[in-house]
Amino acid sequence: MSNPTTRNLVIGGAAGQGLGSAGHLLARHLVRLGHQVLVTQSYQSRIRGGHNSIALRVSQRTLSAPQERIDLLLALDQETIALHAGDLAPEGRILAAGSPSLPDELRSRTLRVPISDLGGKPLTNFILLGVAASCLGLEASALASAAQAALQKRPELAQKAAGAVRAAQAWANEQAGVRDGMGSVRLPAGTEQGQTRRVLMSGNQAIALGAISAGIRFCAFYPMTPATSVNQTLVSLSERCGLVVEQAEDEIAAINMAIGASFAGAPALVATSGGGFALMTEGVSLAAMTETPLVVVVAQRPGPATGLPTRTEQADLEFVLHAGHGEFPRAVFAPGSVEACFHLTRRACLLAEQSQGPVFVLTDQFLADAHRAIEPFATEALPELRPGSGVPEGAHPAGSFTAAPPSAPPAETAPGDYRRHAFSGTGVSPRRLPGGGPELVVTDSDEHTEAGHLTEDLTVRRQMVAKRLRKERGLRERIVPPERYGDARPELLLVGWGSTRGAILEATDRLRAAGRPTGALLFAQVWPLEPESFADALSAAAAVIAIEGNATGQLARLIRRETGCEIVRRLQRFDGLPITRDYILRALGAEQARSGATKEKP
Amino acid sequence: MNASGDRRDPEVRLEDFGDFETAWCPGCGNFGILAAVKRALVELQIAPHQLLFVSGIGQAAKSPHYLRANLFNGLHGRALPVATGAKLANPELVVLVQSGDGCSYGEGGNHFLAAIRRNIDLTLLAHDNRVYGLTKGQASPTSPRQMQTKAQPGGPTSEAFDPLAVAVTMHASFVARGFAGRQAHLAGLIAAAVRHRGFALVDILQPCVSYNRIHTHRWYEERCYELDGSHDPTDRDAARARIESNQERIPLGILYRNERPVLRERFPALQSGPLVGRSVDRAALAEIVAGF
């Protein structure tokens, strides 16, 4: 049973028919009207090259994940009907451009829209949008005005689009099928919003804004789907926010530029996907060795190699965890929502500065591209970076790299005595910036002395390894513990990480509503892991299942390595599509059916 | 080069750059280059803390450890991107990249081309001894075909790379060649390169006493000549003619230069000074967030 106030609209058509722009126009309009909206690609499994689709899930309550069943399908072409009609809800409706041939069972549920009478083929996307507005019960002129405003940079098109929306809406209002047959589609009024109205934002946009709010000043990138929109958002805000964003000749150059900028005092970030990150791994090791703060965003897509460039996967956890030769500490965040993309990227930026090394944000195509209505971030009071002058108090609730190290960092007696890599109890050395004063800042990718000069003194080598590894303690003090949801002593505990959070939350709700005590354990930080922060949850559950978007259960394996606790049951998806609530429920249902006669093992 | 060179108080002296023990073979060309670098910096009156050296890996890349300055000694081939990032972060730093032919033209070849195209305002001192010294004698990108090595007993399988011809063809904004054996002349070239606004390449010929038996000090002395007033460095065709002419006559000096916009001018964010030390404009950020 779908929640009666939740509607799922899917717009499908050929690439180049403008369904993305139409979908985002409608989504933004609905957010302005007070609706909660989640915009994703539509994730039906029958996907064909050249066919595009976009899904808008609309509700009065907060949405965590997309749904598969379709309430209203906007078919810009015949193929859309063939591909998506199977997912139509029992009361679902189709708005079809022109007069496609239809199977009998769909005829009564389809409204054929005479495109040529309402503005012509080039405006098909806007015409269907106008009809949809009418079916949803939206006010006639508002969407047309929104279309005009959204296209203001192309006045001629804006005029035509607004006209098409208006004409289509007027036509639809006259259709008996719309007046009487759209009860299952009509939206209730949007909820009142406070003074701060909601905004529509993607995970990648939130990452870029989180980075800017933390004080990131430099980004170098080589374009790679699905990370590009992080870099693109930074580019579009660079003038206003005082950033330098440079497209590099390759990912190797990108990470080395970022390290150079960070070394010189401009907090820096790189964002890429698996293949690009593979090229960056030597740079990760360099950031660790030179103790240069660096934030690396890895937006996962299915591999190996080029894989499925526009699909999603969670298969680079182990790669990111181990990337870079040699031994050094790191932290890896895995946001599970648009909001978490903002806050955890901020946290990564501050932590990179505090620990003077690489910190990762691990996202994926699904979260990167999904747009969701969110409360705008309160940006006034957020701490920001000041390289060379420490991280502000209160940046993190617990622990501090700077608090009372066992042996205080040595004070410089003269400028020439400054030692960039001075030994300290925390492993973190006082930071100066080159050109910032008379001190000379020297560092080396070779093993080096406290002063930063290359050395083959093997005693120094041992001390430097220990120094760098001491930072892990500070990283552990700042862990974001996994989120617990649902029943504390459940019959079934769903374990996941990163972008599957929304689907797991909604699946947990469904199972609990059906009377099955269910809990969820959701990791927003996948390294370091502190067993004390979650081992009790694993042992309190009668059964545990690890839900991951990969084929080998990478988090489950990591948990086993760190705790000895093996999660035997796995739900793994690796066909390039995100794990959805329905996917989880189907898989659990099938599992239950299979084990109906046999005794269930935890 | 930039404003920091104007700070002339107190006077910068040769001793300010220190005197260090090195790991180089006796007679190595790097000694002459190191001395020339120091002389140039004294001539320019740039103090150690105003300088940032960036180097890669190789015997040449160790050079900046043997003088007093800020230093980022990074990965093999990657000195130019690190230097580019640092210069963009703080354009007030005088940035010099110091590495060998393998680092600059082999492993870092793509970055070399990109640096020319960007016209990033820094100086590349490429120690060009036409052989890999640190790894004990393999062919480098500038080794000629007839040079037999342990790894290339029949000579390198590829033709030699000509960094100067490539740089001039790509309109690099400053292209010079020096010789480690002519310290005073080399120091003058380095000073001119640092003064130049834009990407400045100084390809420095140097003997490798251990692994290059062809290009000895004497070999260079017999062939090198210094460009005089008859060469117009703004004439690109003349520069090409000099570079591509008879290999038995090797021109030293500023072969080519032009004035064109430097990379930092393309970033509005840098019009108001370095990126270092800025605060987040929270009002603007709140407005941006609300506009999504």
Side-chain angles (χ1 to χ4, degrees):
Chain A
M1 287 297 123
S2 77
N3 183 325
T5 63
T6 298
R7 302 278 181 259
N8 194 34
L9 274 71
V10 169
I11 311 174
Q17 279 192 298
L19 48 101
S21 55
H24 278 273
L25 171 66
L26 178 60
R28 204 155 263 122
H29 183 59
L30 291 169
V31 173
R32 301 282 187 266
L33 294 176
H35 296 280
Q36 298 280 2
V37 181
L38 176 70
V39 186
T40 59
Q41 292 177 26
S42 87
Y43 291 112
Q44 280 66 31
S45 52
R46 286 149 296 152
I47 280 166
R48 251 182 245 172
H51 173 78
N52 281 2
S53 60
I54 182 168
L56 275 68
R57 195 176 178 211
V58 189
S59 181
Q60 268 52 61
R61 64 181 176 87
T62 307
L63 293 166
S64 318
Q67 77 178 48
E68 294 182 7
R69 206 160 59 174
I70 301 170
D71 297 305
L72 184 63
L73 177 63
L74 278 61
L76 275 73
D77 63 2
Q78 172 94 45
E79 191 176 25
T80 300
I81 298 171
L83 290 173
H84 298 275
D87 293 301
L88 215 53
E91 297 290 303
R93 294 286 183 271
I94 299 173
L95 307 179
S99 308
S101 58
L102 293 166
D104 288 346
E105 69 274 15
L106 289 180
R107 242 171 236 154
S108 62
R109 300 160 65 187
T110 303
L111 183 65
R112 292 179 156 133
V113 181
I115 299 299
S116 44
D117 299 346
L118 296 171
K121 215 171 172 190
L123 295 170
T124 303
N125 54 345
F126 294 108
I127 294 166
L128 286 193
L129 216 54
V131 178
S134 172
C135 299
L136 294 168
L138 302 180
E139 196 201 319
S141 58
L143 183 61
S145 312
Q148 185 135 25
L151 294 164
Q152 56 179 333
K153 283 185 186 158
R154 299 164 68 190
E156 201 180 327
L157 178 64
Q159 200 66 36
K160 283 184 182 166
V165 169
R166 218 171 273 125
Q169 202 159 0
W171 172 85
N173 287 341
E174 298 305 313
Q175 306 304 307
V178 173
R179 276 202 309 271
D180 314 320
M182 291 289 171
S184 63
V185 172
R186 195 145 289 148
L187 282 175
T191 50
E192 280 297 308
Q193 301 192 70
Q195 290 201 326
T196 52
R197 59 172 184 78
R198 283 187 283 268
V199 296
L200 187 68
M201 195 179 287
S202 73
N204 273 1
Q205 290 170 334
I207 285 173
L209 290 172
I212 292 172
S213 78
I216 289 290
R217 291 275 159 213
F218 185 91
C219 167
F221 71 99
Y222 190 88
M224 186 166 185
T225 307
T228 306
S229 52
V230 172
N231 303 308
Q232 191 56 54
T233 305
L234 291 171
V235 168
S236 68
L237 297 173
S238 60
E239 185 164 359
R240 212 155 152 213
C241 297
L243 318 171
V244 167
V245 186
E246 171 71 344
Q247 181 169 324
E249 54 273 28
D250 54 36
E251 285 88 348
I252 298 172
I255 193 168
N256 278 281
M257 280 184 196
I259 289 169
S262 178
F263 173 75
L269 170 147
V270 290
T272 185
S273 188
F277 182 62
L279 293 181
M280 290 187 179
T281 53
E282 195 187 15
V284 170
S285 193
L286 177 67
M289 187 56 148
T290 58
E291 305 194 55
T292 308
L294 180 68
V295 176
V296 183
V297 177
V298 179
Q300 301 163 98
R301 72 190 211 190
T306 308
L308 291 169
T310 61
R311 303 291 164 200
T312 200
E313 196 161 85
Q314 293 184 301
D316 292 334
L317 168 58
E318 288 179 345
F319 178 32
V320 167
L321 189 58
H322 300 290
H325 51 295
E327 295 173 299
F328 53 88
R330 74 187 77 200
V332 184
F333 294 103
S337 67
V338 173
E339 291 90 339
C341 284
F342 179 86
H343 291 292
L344 291 179
T345 302
R346 285 186 47 74
R347 199 174 173 103
C349 296
L350 297 170
L351 199 55
E353 182 66 30
Q354 286 175 311
S355 63
Q356 298 182 8
V359 175
F360 299 86
V361 177
L362 189 53
T363 180
D364 56 40
Q365 181 273 329
F366 166 66
L367 182 58
D369 293 341
H371 284 69
R372 197 161 62 80
I374 56 162
E375 301 297 330
F377 310 116
T379 51
E380 304 77 43
L382 298 173
E384 67 184 271
L385 292 169
R386 227 12 108 61
S389 22
V391 168
E393 286 306 308
H396 289 295
S400 168
F401 275 112
T402 46
S407 64
E412 302 103 46
T413 49
D417 290 343
Y418 170 68
R419 286 171 286 162
R420 173 66 194 90
H421 300 284
F423 295 129
S424 73
T426 60
V428 176
S429 314
R431 188 161 179 221
R432 301 281 182 277
L433 303 179
E439 301 94 348
L440 298 180
V441 186
V442 176
T443 192
D444 196 341
S445 69
D446 292 270
E447 190 56 275
H448 40 256
T449 61
E450 287 183 276
H453 289 291
L454 67 90
T455 184
E456 301 227 351
D457 181 324
L458 303 186
T459 304
V460 173
R461 160 68 184 175
R462 278 204 313 275
Q463 290 170 322
M464 276 295 165
V465 170
K467 170 205 194 295
R468 289 188 289 268
L469 292 178
R470 276 202 295 280
K471 296 181 189 179
E472 176 140 346
R473 200 168 56 204
L475 294 175
R476 284 185 179 275
E477 284 169 5
R478 289 165 175 74
I479 280 175
V480 178
E483 176 184 357
R484 296 166 188 231
Y485 185 76
D487 293 299
R489 306 191 68 80
E491 188 183 295
L492 181 64
L493 180 71
L494 310 180
V495 177
W497 61 281
S499 73
T500 55
R501 176 180 177 273
I504 294 176
L505 290 179
E506 293 204 0
T508 306
D509 286 343
R510 280 297 176 89
L511 292 167
R512 296 180 76 204
R516 191 172 181 193
T518 310
L521 185 66
L522 301 159
F523 289 80
Q525 182 169 2
V526 288
W527 191 258
L529 289 180
E530 277 291 351
E532 300 82 72
S533 70
F534 62 86
D536 63 308
L538 294 176
S539 49
V544 181
I545 185 163
I547 300 175
E548 299 189 56
N550 58 54
T552 55
Q554 298 190 14
L555 180 73
R557 288 212 302 251
L558 187 58
I559 288 174
R560 182 185 173 189
R561 193 184 94 183
E562 295 300 303
T563 66
C565 170
E566 177 148 25
I567 303 174
V568 182
R569 289 171 63 185
R570 311 274 180 81
L571 197 168
Q572 289 155 186
R573 186 172 202 180
F574 45 89
D575 58 3
L577 300 179
I579 289 174
T580 60
R581 174 198 65 192
D582 304 323
Y583 187 88
I584 297 171
L585 295 174
R586 270 198 308 273
L588 291 177
E591 192 186 45
Q592 208 158 30
R594 271 200 308 277
S595 65
T598 60
K599 205 175 158 190
E600 198 175 337
K601 276 190 200 165
Chain B
M1 179 69 186
N2 55 54
S4 10
D6 300 338
R7 290 181 231 159
R8 286 179 175 273
D9 195 29
E11 195 191 347
V12 177
R13 298 160 307 159
L14 209 52
E15 304 88 86
D16 295 337
F17 294 100
D19 190 12
F20 299 85
E21 200 181 309
T22 76
W24 295 325
C25 309
C28 178
N30 284 331
F31 290 105
I33 300 172
L34 178 61
V37 168
K38 289 184 189 174
R39 277 171 78 157
L41 295 173
V42 171
E43 184 190 328
L44 293 165
Q45 286 292 295
I46 303 174
H49 71 276
Q50 298 171 312
L51 285 161
L52 172 62
F53 278 87
V54 181
S55 67
I57 297 298
Q59 292 295 359
K62 293 178 184 170
S63 304
H65 284 286
Y66 306 138
L67 56 74
R68 295 185 67 257
N70 295 298
L71 167 62
F72 190 105
N73 182 0
L75 299 169
H76 187 55
R78 315 304 170 202
L80 278 172
V82 168
T84 301
K87 182 72 181 181
L88 290 174
N90 187 357
E92 287 179 3
L93 287 168
V94 177
V95 179
L96 289 98
V97 172
Q98 210 169 6
S99 255
D101 40 322
C103 197
S104 304
Y105 308 138
E107 188 93 20
N110 196 17
H111 312 310
F112 174 66
L113 301 181
I116 294 172
R117 291 173 56 215
R118 285 193 177 97
N119 202 26
I120 176 75
D121 188 12
L122 54 78
T123 300
L124 169 59
L125 304 178
H127 298 214
D128 188 355
N129 62 4
R130 307 192 186 191
V131 74
Y132 282 54
L134 189 72
T135 51
K136 302 192 189 297
Q138 301 82 3
S140 95
T142 51
S143 302
R145 286 293 294 273
Q146 72 272 20
M147 194 167 107
Q148 295 178 348
T149 72
K150 222 192 276 180
Q152 290 85 16
T157 51
S158 305
E159 296 295 336
F161 178 74
D162 186 338
L164 301 183
V166 169
V168 170
T169 298
M170 292 179 70
H171 299 266
S173 73
F174 183 102
V175 182
R177 178 155 54 196
F179 172 43
R182 296 195 193 175
Q183 240 185 68
H185 180 259
L186 178 59
L189 287 181
I190 294 170
V194 174
R195 268 194 209 103
H196 178 79
R197 201 167 170 282
F199 179 74
L201 166 66
V202 186
D203 183 75
I204 305 169
L205 303 172
Q206 70 170 117
C208 174
V209 293
S210 297
Y211 300 109
N212 190 334
R213 299 297 151 98
I214 299 175
H215 307 100
T216 60
H217 187 90
R218 182 164 172 184
W219 189 93
Y220 283 119
E221 273 301 354
E222 284 168 2
R223 288 163 179 80
C224 288
Y225 69 97
E226 292 169 22
L227 292 169
D228 56 21
S230 69
H231 176 69
D232 173 7
T234 64
D235 181 341
R236 195 155 150 263
D237 291 334
R240 282 170 135 160
R242 294 274 182 180
I243 293 163
E244 287 161 12
S245 69
N246 183 0
Q247 287 299 299
E248 294 304 301
R249 296 272 295 150
I250 302 173
L252 302 179
I254 301 170
L255 286 149
Y256 177 64
R257 74 173 161 225
N258 63 45
E259 303 287 330
R260 60 191 177 98
V262 297
L263 180 64
R264 71 168 182 270
E265 291 170 34
R266 306 196 188 273
F267 294 102
L270 293 175
Q271 305 311 313
S272 51
L275 296 178
V276 177
R278 291 195 193 173
S279 301
V280 175
D281 182 345
R282 290 177 188 290
L285 187 61
E287 217 176 286
I288 288 163
V289 171
F292 268 83

